[in-house]
């Protein structure tokens, strides 16, 4: 049955209820089964899917399995169930590239991620860390603003911050903090017309760059990034949520500074 023809969709009952993100470095058992189902719904046959599964997981297919149902289908599910969690996400990207209806696969999987509190999203065949909606909107706004203002270097730094949050099997948290602060520093230099100073120096030389007392918050954020992003000490590694906070604040500050420049 076509998804659009289902009762809940036809009558507007289907709603996406966002659950709190509780899964990021894991691939739950249920998700592994959903991947297979969505692959089939998106046009892949069990035999085609097995080829992908074996290639991504570096496994040899069972030559004794000839019939697609139930043999090859069951082989696919067993291989995926036994895979390392991060290889399951590698497989998702591979399926997205090969699916006949890639848009359906992406949309349905992203809905599942949202409803089940899984902290990833599929975009253009690549998985990215999914952040709380408010943070997503803040980053999206900053990216659009930087693009419009021609600040490609800062935009690139902000993008790298997101890439670092999305790395598997472990996020590069310190890298994310460094790149997001670099984006803010780059824009602050441009707005202040002071292209060699560090962000800390800019805040002292140009006290009106960000209005007080908010400038104190940015100055403390710079200090946090220096201690936890660049000069990290043993046993003082930052948390993923702290990196998210730094990225979000930097993105918001970038949007503010670009707007101030254009006034």
């Amino acid at each position: 049955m076509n998804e659009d023809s289902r009762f809940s969709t036809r009558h507007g009952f289907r709603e996406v209820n966002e659950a709190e993100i509780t899964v990021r470095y894991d691939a739950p058992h249920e998700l592994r089964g959903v991947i297979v189902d969505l692959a089939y719904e998106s046009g892949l046959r069990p035999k085609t899917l097995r080829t992908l599964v074996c290639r991504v997981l570096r496994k040899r297919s069972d030559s004794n399995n000839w019939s697609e149902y139930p043999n090859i289908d069951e082989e696919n599910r067993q291989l995926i169930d036994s895979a390392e969690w991060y290889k399951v996400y590698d497989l998702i990207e591979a399926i997205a590239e090969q699916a006949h209806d890639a848009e359906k696969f992406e949309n349905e999987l992203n809905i599942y991620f949202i409803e089940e509190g899984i902290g990833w999203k599929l975009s253009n065949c690549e998985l990215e860390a999914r952040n709380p909606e408010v943070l997503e909107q803040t980053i999206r706004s900053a990216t659009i603003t930087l693009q419009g203002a021609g600040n490609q270097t800062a935009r690139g730094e902000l993008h790298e911050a997101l890439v670092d949050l999305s790395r598997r099997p472990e996020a590069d948290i310190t890298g994310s903090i460094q790149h997001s602060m670099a984006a803010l520093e780059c824009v602050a230099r441009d707005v202040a017309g002071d292209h060699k100073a560090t962000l800390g120096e800019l805040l002292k030389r140009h006290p009106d760059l960000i209005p007080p007392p908010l400038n104190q918050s940015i100055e403390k954020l710079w200090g946090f990034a220096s201690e936890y992003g660049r000069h990290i000490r043993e046993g003082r590694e930052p948390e993923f949520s702290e990196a998210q906070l730094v990225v979000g604040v930097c993105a918001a500050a970038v949007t503010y500074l670009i707007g101030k420049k254009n006034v």
Side-chain angles (χ1 to χ4, degrees), residues 10-227:
R10 293 199 314 271
H11 296 281
F13 294 130
R14 187 180 190 188
E15 296 182 3
V16 179
N17 299 311
E18 183 172 1
E20 179 185 357
I21 295 176
T22 57
V23 177
R24 199 177 296 275
Y25 301 124
D26 190 17
H29 181 74
E30 185 178 273
L31 168 63
R32 296 168 188 248
V34 168
I35 292 169
V36 176
D37 294 337
L38 288 181
Y40 295 160
E41 290 175 21
S42 303
L44 295 184
R45 300 292 302 173
K47 187 174 182 179
T48 307
L49 179 60
R50 181 174 65 174
T51 300
L52 278 178
V53 170
C54 290
R55 175 169 60 82
V56 172
L57 302 184
R58 295 291 187 262
K59 297 294 183 179
R60 190 173 187 175
S61 63
D62 188 342
S63 59
N64 294 316
N65 285 338
W66 291 89
S67 59
E68 292 199 316
Y69 295 101
N71 292 353
I72 295 179
D73 171 62
E74 184 61 29
E75 182 181 351
N76 287 334
R77 296 178 188 275
Q78 289 177 354
L79 286 170
I80 295 173
D81 283 348
S82 61
E84 292 284 352
W85 73 264
Y86 54 90
K87 290 187 178 180
V88 173
Y89 291 100
D90 290 342
L91 178 60
I92 287 174
E93 293 180 334
I95 293 173
E97 292 176 351
Q98 296 295 322
H100 297 166
D101 192 344
E103 182 178 359
K104 176 183 177 64
F105 181 77
E106 179 176 307
N107 290 341
E108 289 298 316
L109 187 65
N110 283 337
I111 289 173
Y112 181 82
F113 283 159
I114 292 171
E115 292 182 335
E116 298 301 320
I118 298 175
W120 299 96
K121 63 179 179 180
L122 186 61
S123 177
N124 297 321
C125 300
E126 291 187 2
L127 284 161
E128 303 172 353
R130 184 170 65 85
N131 303 293
E133 183 59 28
V134 172
L135 178 56
E136 290 278 343
Q137 292 177 354
T138 301
I139 295 171
R140 192 178 306 118
S141 176
T143 300
I144 294 172
T145 299
L146 289 168
Q147 178 71 29
N151 291 75
Q152 297 303 326
T153 300
R155 181 176 177 274
E157 292 289 350
L158 190 58
H159 173 73
E160 287 301 318
L162 295 178
V163 170
D164 285 340
L165 286 178
S166 302
R167 295 194 187 281
R168 303 187 300 270
E170 296 290 340
D172 184 356
I173 294 176
T174 57
S176 180
I177 291 173
Q178 291 173 23
H179 283 298
S180 57
M181 292 304 302
L184 178 55
E185 184 177 68
C186 183
V187 173
R189 284 173 174 171
D190 185 38
V191 173
D194 193 341
H195 299 287
K196 293 185 178 181
T198 65
L199 180 60
E201 292 169 341
L202 288 169
L203 292 170
K204 293 177 181 178
R205 295 179 188 176
H206 309 275
D208 61 338
L209 191 63
I210 294 177
L214 294 178
N215 59 344
Q216 297 177 21
S217 299
I218 300 298
E219 188 172 359
K220 291 182 183 299
L221 190 70
W222 170 255
F224 175 88
S226 297
E227 182 172 353

